[in-house]
Amino acid sequence: MEKLITFLNIIAWVIGLGSTIFLIGRIIAAFSYNEMDKLIDKIKGVNRTFPIMWPAIVSLICWAFIITFW
């Protein structure tokens, strides 16, 4: 059972770090999306969104698992 928890802990570290970096990147992209970018996207017909809910949920679950089994 100890090996399974160690394996899951390693997986949680990898996915948690990746998801957290992805979440931070999306937040930075959302804040750096200015009016010029909006106009360019409007000309191209693109509707750009920056959803952060899924990376936030995944990183929260991974970090909770890591803290629980530390």
Side-chain angles (χ1 to χ4, degrees):
M1 189 62 146
E2 182 67 29
K3 289 184 179 182
L4 177 65
I5 295 297
T6 304
F7 173 74
L8 290 175
N9 204 353
I10 292 169
I11 297 296
W13 270 102
V14 171
I15 294 174
L17 281 174
S19 182
T20 303
I21 292 169
F22 189 61
L23 175 66
I24 291 169
R26 278 202 175 170
I27 291 171
I28 291 170
F31 281 119
S32 66
Y33 187 60
N34 58 17
E35 290 298 321
M36 183 63 89
D37 294 329
K38 290 178 186 176
L39 290 174
I40 292 170
D41 285 343
K42 193 172 185 180
I43 290 170
K44 292 180 180 179
V46 176
N47 186 13
R48 194 172 307 258
T49 59
F50 301 96
I52 62 168
M53 200 58 162
W54 279 109
I57 290 171
V58 171
S59 64
L60 181 69
I61 290 170
C62 288
W63 291 118
F65 182 83
I66 291 168
I67 290 170
T68 302
F69 289 105
W70 187 274

